[in-house]
Amino acid sequence: MRTVMIVLCCAVLAVPALADAKDEPSHDEMMQAWEQAAKVGPEHARLAKSAGKWKATVKSWMDPAGEPMVSEGSEESEMIFDGRFLQSRFKGSMMGQPFEGRGTMGYDNVKKKYVGTWLDSMGTGIMSYEGDWDAQQNSIICHGTFMDAATGQEQKCRLVSRFVDDDHHVFEMWGPDMSGKDAKWMEISYTRAK
């Protein structure tokens, strides 16, 4: 009797699995989905406009009501993996110290979102973010998270990449000030190096 019950239980459990198997895409459908996911499109072409060598003027605020700290830097960016991702290497200074950072940004055809990561010499964490194109502002607006070293808590931020023209773009980083109000933390103005 026990053997019969085990066989019946296995049969009952197998029915939904068989039903699910019928709903699975075919091999050709899966291959087509992967091909679509890997396609380079207009969103990637938009990122490619930022490829090249850039001079950067960096403004950063410890106190949003105060004067910004200003420094100079440079960035080299290139499209990698056949135009799927923009990889950037930044060099400059921050708070009087040498500063270096690396970023990768792409457009995820499956998520229908711009996605990216950032890491730099001022920490050991990696910030990740995702967002959308805003045609009215001519900007990619993303929301990201990183671990705040001062509080040990996850911090949210907003990242805005505004395209002025082919030789100029502006990056802004926004987040809460000490009172929790939205404030600009950083602004980087890029000019294409000749």
Side-chain angles (χ1 to χ4, degrees):
M1 184 68 163
R2 184 173 177 206
T3 304
V4 172
M5 291 299 289
I6 291 172
V7 170
L8 285 174
C9 285
C10 289
V12 168
L13 292 172
V15 170
L18 290 173
D20 287 345
K22 291 179 186 175
D23 295 335
E24 290 291 320
S26 69
H27 179 268
D28 287 345
E29 289 170 329
M30 287 190 287
M31 291 303 293
Q32 186 177 19
W34 278 106
E35 286 174 14
Q36 291 298 317
K39 276 191 173 178
V40 175
E43 296 84 3
H44 304 95
R46 182 173 288 129
L47 291 175
K49 290 183 176 185
S50 294
K53 295 182 179 182
W54 302 87
K55 293 185 287 186
T57 300
V58 182
K59 296 179 182 178
S60 55
W61 288 263
M62 296 299 285
D63 175 1
E67 290 296 314
M69 292 180 284
V70 181
S71 61
E72 302 295 320
S74 63
E75 184 169 289
E76 289 189 35
S77 300
E78 63 179 334
M79 295 302 288
I80 60 172
F81 301 136
D82 299 320
R84 290 179 176 86
F85 299 93
L86 178 71
Q87 181 176 288
S88 302
R89 297 174 303 282
F90 185 94
K91 288 187 178 181
S93 62
M94 187 70 64
M95 295 185 281
Q97 300 294 319
F99 176 81
E100 197 170 340
R102 300 282 186 272
T104 303
M105 190 174 192
Y107 181 81
D108 187 324
N109 290 328
V110 178
K111 279 187 171 184
K112 308 290 185 210
K113 296 275 184 187
Y114 285 94
V115 295
T117 59
W118 175 261
L119 56 148
D120 58 49
S121 58
M122 290 189 70
T124 54
I126 299 175
M127 179 174 64
S128 60
Y129 56 88
E130 65 178 47
D132 302 290
W133 172 250
D134 184 318
Q136 288 185 332
Q137 296 186 49
N138 207 37
S139 301
I140 298 172
I141 301 176
C142 295
H143 293 87
T145 59
F146 64 94
M147 293 304 293
D148 186 331
T151 65
Q153 302 295 313
E154 187 174 75
Q155 180 66 262
K156 294 181 180 179
C157 61
R158 179 166 41 95
L159 311 170
V160 179
S161 297
R162 181 168 46 87
F163 299 89
V164 180
D165 57 41
D166 287 347
D167 295 323
H168 301 87
H169 60 271
V170 178
F171 170 81
E172 297 174 355
M173 185 175 189
W174 294 75
D177 64 12
M178 298 299 284
S179 68
K181 292 181 181 176
D182 195 36
K184 188 188 290 188
W185 291 348
M186 181 183 297
E187 178 182 285
I188 307 176
S189 297
Y190 290 96
T191 301
R192 193 179 293 278
K194 302 296 182 187

